[in-house]
Amino acid sequence: MQTVNVRQLKNNPSEALREAKEDMVMVMNRDQPTAVLVGLELLAGKADLPRIRYAMALSMFKDKTLSITAAAKFAGKPLGEMLSLVSQAGIPVVDYSPSELDQELANSIAFER
């Protein structure tokens, strides 16, 4: 999957459209995935549903609509692979507030005992 940022898309949309004919293109805004460009030729009679599901799972995880486990299931990926893919996309895997982090740490310490 190719990636372009919003600035690249604004400066040269034809390049992104050319790339979308060959492969899906993830549009990044401030290092976060925000959209996917898919050329109609790619969808003609044989949509790449696994890749579309992956892109949707990434987006829904980023928006906190799905947990990482649910996103992995939705994308049809093993959890470990999904964790790596999310990290590679620059999306924080763990996004706790300071109080939530303190509680999570306290729970994990209590669990180890």
Side-chain angles (χ1 to χ4, degrees), residues 9-53:
L9 185 59
K10 286 180 183 177
N11 290 338
N12 195 354
S14 60
E15 175 66 29
L17 292 173
R18 263 194 306 280
E19 288 180 15
K21 289 181 182 180
E22 301 295 325
D23 197 6
M24 291 173 39
V25 177
M26 177 77 68
V27 179
M28 307 290 281
N29 187 8
R30 295 188 175 107
D31 295 325
Q32 299 296 317
T34 58
V36 176
L37 297 177
V38 181
L40 292 177
E41 295 86 354
L42 289 177
L43 295 178
K46 56 174 189 147
D48 190 352
L49 294 180
R51 292 177 68 128
I52 292 170
R53 290 178 70 90

Side-chain angles (χ1 to χ4, degrees), residues 90-101:
I91 301 169
V93 175
V94 177
D95 189 17
Y96 291 121
S97 70
S99 62
E100 289 172 324
L101 181 58

Side-chain angles (χ1 to χ4, degrees), residues 53-71:
R53 290 178 70 90
Y54 160 68
M56 291 176 66
L58 256 181
S59 178
M60 289 188 285
F61 175 73
K62 178 186 77 85
D63 293 341
K64 299 180 182 175
T65 305
L66 292 179
S67 68
I68 189 65
T69 304

